[in-house]
C-alpha cells in the first residue's frame, strides 16, 4: 500500500468528499481507466473531444471539457466570458482592455470560490440586500435588481447554485438573455441528484461547473465545464498547450467554433489549470457510471451505510438526516467539538462533518467511507458516549 510506503497514515473520512481530507475514493473501473491512460500518449485536443461527447451525453450541453476541478471550471468559464473567441483578448487576460469585465453576483451568493472569476480578470459587482439571513427582513435579491446593475462593462452573471439561492436561476437567465449576457453557474457540490447534471442548463445557464472529485467519483483533481459550444471552446483554448504551428493546427468537430479564430493565442490564463490525460480518462468513466447508476439504489446504499453505523453504536442520540445525502447525526451536546477532536486523535483518525457543531451535532457522511469503516465509526461512537 503506497501510503504505508510513504509513512502517511490513512484516515476514515466521514466529513464527505472534502478536498482537505483527499476527496473520496474511486471505483476500480475509474482507477483502471487512469492506469490505462497513463500507458500511452494522445493528442490532448482529441481526448478533450472524447470528453466533450461524454459530457454532452450526460448533461445535454452543446459541449463540455474536463478541467482540474470546479474552481478551475469557474476560472476558465470566466475567461471564456471575458475573451470570447478573440485571441487578442485571450492573450491579454487577466487584463481586460475594453473594461468589460464585470460579473454581477447576488450578495448572498458570495463565497470564497468566486475569486476564480477575479483571477481570470473579472471584477465582482454585488447586488441585493439579503436581510432574510440577517433577520430584520424577509427578502433577498430580485431579478430586477440584477437587471438594473447591467451596464456597458458587464461581462456576465455569476450564480452559485444552492437549494436556498435566490432569485431562481430561470429568472436570472431570462434577464441575462434579454441583454445577450452569459450566466456562469457554480454547481460544484450540487450532485446528487444526478438530474442536476441537466437541470441548470435546462433552466438557462450558459455554462455550468461541477466537481469531478465529489459525488461523481472521479479523480480528486477533476471537474467539468459544460454549456454553450462557443464558450466551452474558448475555455478549452485558454487551457491547452499552444506551442503549435498555427498553419497546421485544426480543431476537431466538437470544438469547431475555434475554426473562426483569426489566429491562435499563446498559453492562456488556464495554463495553471492543466488537466492530465489520466484525470480526463478517469472523469469520463466516472461520469458515465454516475449517470447510469440508479438514484434509488445509490441512496439505499448510502442509507445502509449510515444504518450500519447506528447498528454498531446503538441508537442513543443518533438519527439519519434527510437527502440529498443521508448522514448520521449524533447529538453530542456542548462537548461536540471536544468529541470531534477525540475522534480525530484516535487510531485510525475519524474526520466528521462539523456543519452543525454549533448546535452540538456531529455529522457522519457515508460518501467517502467503506462499509467496514461504517462499523468502525459506530464502535468508536459507542466508546465515546
Ligand atoms: C467544492 C466546491 C468548489 C471547488 O471544487 P473543486 O472541484 O475542488 O475545485 C467550488 N465551488 C463550490 C460551491 C464548491 O462546493
Amino acid at each position: 500500500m503506497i501510503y504505508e510506503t510513504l509513512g502517511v497514515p490513512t484516515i476514515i473520512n466521514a466529513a464527505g468528499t472534502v478536498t482537505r481530507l483527499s476527496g473520496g475514493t474511486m471505483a476500480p473501473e475509474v482507477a483502471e481507466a487512469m492506469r490505462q491512460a497513463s500507458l500511452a500518449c494522445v493528442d490532448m485536443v482529441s481526448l478533450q473531444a472524447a470528453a466533450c461527447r461524454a459530457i454532452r451525453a450526460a448533461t445535454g450541453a452543446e459541449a463540455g471539457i474536463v478541467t482540474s476541478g470546479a474552481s478551475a471550471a469557474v476560472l476558465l468559464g470566466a475567461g471564456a466570458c471575458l475573451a470570447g473567441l478573440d485571441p487578442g483578448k485571450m492573450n491579454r487576460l487577466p487584463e481586460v482592455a475594453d473594461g468589460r469585465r464585470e460579473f454581477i453576483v447576488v450578495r448572498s451568493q458570495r463565497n470564497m470560490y468566486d475569486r476564480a472569476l477575479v483571477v481570470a480578470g473579472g471584477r465582482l459587482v454585488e447586488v441585493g440586500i439579503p436581510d432574510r439571513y440577517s433577520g430584520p427582513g424577509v427578502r433577498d435579491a430580485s431579478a430586477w435588481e440584477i437587471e438594473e446593475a447591467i451596464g456597458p462593462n458587464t461581462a456576465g452573471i455569476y450564480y452559485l447554485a444552492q437549494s436556498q439561492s435566490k432569485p431562481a436561476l430561470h429568472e436570472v437567465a431570462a434577464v441575462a438573455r434579454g441583454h445577450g449576457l452569459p450566466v456562469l453557474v457554480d454547481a460544484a457540490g450540487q450532485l446528487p441528484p444526478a438530474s442536476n447534471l441537466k437541470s441548470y442548463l435546462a433552466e438557462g445557464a450558459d455554462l455550468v461547473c461541477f466537481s469531478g472529485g465529489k459525488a461523481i467519483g472521479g479523480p480528486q483533481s477533476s471537474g467539468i465545464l459544460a454549456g454553450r459550444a462557443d464558450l466551452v471552446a474558448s475555455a478549452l483554448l485558454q487551457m491547452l498547450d499552444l506551442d503549435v504551428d498555427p498553419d497546421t493546427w485544426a480543431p476537431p468537430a466538437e470544438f469547431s467554433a475555434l475554426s473562426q479564430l483569426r489566429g491562435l493565442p499563446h498559453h492562456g490564463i488556464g495554463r495553471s489549470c492543466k488537466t492530465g490525460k489520466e484525470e480526463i480518462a478517469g472523469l469520463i468513466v466516472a461520469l458515465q457510471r454516475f449517470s447510469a447508476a440508479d438514484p434509488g439504489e445509490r441512496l439505499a446504499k448510502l442509507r445502509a451505510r449510515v444504518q450500519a453505523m447506528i447498528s454498531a453504536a446503538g441508537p442513543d442520540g443518533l438519527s439519519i438526516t434527510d437527502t440529498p445525502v443521508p448522514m448520521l447525526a449524533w447529538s453530542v451536546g456542548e462537548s461536540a467539538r471536544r468529541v470531534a477532536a477525540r475522534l480525530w486523535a484516535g487510531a485510525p483518525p475519524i474526520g466528521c462533518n462539523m456543519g452543525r457543531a454549533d448546535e452540538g451535532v456531529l455529522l457522519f457522511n457515508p460518501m467517502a467511507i467503506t462499509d467496514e469503516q461504517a462499523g468502525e465509526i459506530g464502535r468508536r461512537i459507542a466508546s465515546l458516549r
Side-chain angles (χ1 to χ4, degrees), residues 207-285:
L207 287 171
V208 60
C209 311
F210 295 106
S211 279
K214 292 179 180 168
I216 292 174
Q220 192 193 358
S221 60
S222 70
I224 293 172
L225 178 67
R228 245 168 63 191
D230 59 326
L231 292 172
V232 170
S234 168
L236 173 68
L237 200 65
Q238 299 185 64
M239 173 170 67
L240 287 176
D241 177 336
L242 287 173
D243 280 336
V244 294
D245 179 355
D247 294 331
T248 54
W249 192 84
E254 287 77 2
F255 307 117
S256 61
L258 298 178
S259 52
Q260 309 163 22
L261 295 185
R262 61 187 151 90
L264 272 185
H266 297 274
H267 293 325
I269 192 85
R271 186 61 173 84
S272 50
C273 311
K274 176 156 104 177
T275 312
K277 58 186 180 304
E278 298 83 4
E279 277 73 23
I280 298 173
L283 188 279
I284 292 173
V285 172

Side-chain angles (χ1 to χ4, degrees), residues 73-128:
V74 172
L75 189 158
L76 290 163
C81 295
L82 292 168
L85 290 168
D86 182 332
K89 286 185 177 174
M90 290 180 193
N91 275 345
R92 282 191 294 271
L93 290 182
E95 264 149 46
V96 182
D98 64 7
R100 212 185 51 83
R101 66 190 310 180
E102 293 176 0
F103 287 91
I104 298 168
V105 55
V106 168
R107 190 170 272 115
S108 61
Q109 293 175 24
R110 286 299 314 274
N111 67 93
M112 287 315 293
Y113 296 106
D114 65 28
R115 53 175 42 190
L117 296 145
V118 180
V119 175
R123 187 169 289 157
L124 292 164
V125 174
E126 296 182 359
V127 300

Side-chain angles (χ1 to χ4, degrees), residues 22 65 98 126 174 216 251 306 329 333 345 371 384:
S22 72
I65 52 173
D98 64 7
E126 296 182 359
I216 292 174
V306 176
D371 293 339
L384 287 173

